[in-house]
Amino acid sequence: MSTSTVNLNIRMDKDLKEELDALCKELGLTTSTAINIFAKAMVRKQALPFKLSLNKANKKALEAIQNVEEGKNLSRKFSSVPELMEDLNS
């Protein structure tokens, strides 16, 4: 690899840049160093260095979350932790 450097200009939301700069500073890095670490990891792995997903819950999980939020289809309610533990241990 060459030891010469080039400038890379990217567009980024102002607030995101400020948060990134602050985080990098806390980590003892410059933002440029952090972006170079990311680029080197991508080249080394020949992929993004993290899993990329939409992070969507499936239909069954969404229904379960909605049921809990609405207090529906639950086995029963407990008024205290000891009451719950007694039920679990029986």
Side-chain angles (χ1 to χ4, degrees), residues 7-8 16-18 23-24 30 32 40-41 45 53 65 82:
N7 287 330
L8 172 67
L16 176 60
K17 171 137 181 3
E18 290 172 359
L23 175 59
C24 289
T30 64
S32 180
K40 287 177 182 180
K45 290 183 172 206
S53 70
I65 291 167

Side-chain angles (χ1 to χ4, degrees), residues 2-3 9 12-13 15 24 34 38 40 46-47 50 53-54 61-62 64 66 68 70 74 77-78 85-86 89-90:
S2 171
T3 57
N9 295 313
M12 181 180 297
D13 178 81
D15 293 338
C24 289
F38 172 78
K40 287 177 182 180
Q46 292 294 293
F50 49 81
S53 70
L54 295 177
L62 291 173
Q66 184 175 1
V68 169
E70 295 174 0
L74 303 174
K77 293 183 180 183
F78 299 95
M85 293 308 294
E86 184 180 321
N89 292 323
S90 64

Side-chain angles (χ1 to χ4, degrees), residues 23-79:
L23 175 59
C24 289
K25 185 176 181 178
E26 277 188 61
L27 294 170
L29 302 170
T30 64
T31 302
S32 180
T33 300
I35 291 171
N36 273 290
I37 291 169
F38 172 78
K40 287 177 182 180
M42 246 184 114
V43 169
R44 184 176 58 254
K45 290 183 172 206
Q46 292 294 293
L48 288 169
F50 49 81
K51 181 180 175 186
L52 187 63
S53 70
L54 295 177
N55 213 13
K56 289 186 176 180
N58 64 33
K59 184 179 178 181
K60 187 175 181 180
L62 291 173
E63 287 174 359
I65 291 167
Q66 184 175 1
N67 282 339
V68 169
E69 288 173 346
E70 295 174 0
K72 294 180 182 175
N73 300 320
L74 303 174
S75 59
R76 62 178 267 225
K77 293 183 180 183
F78 299 95
S79 60

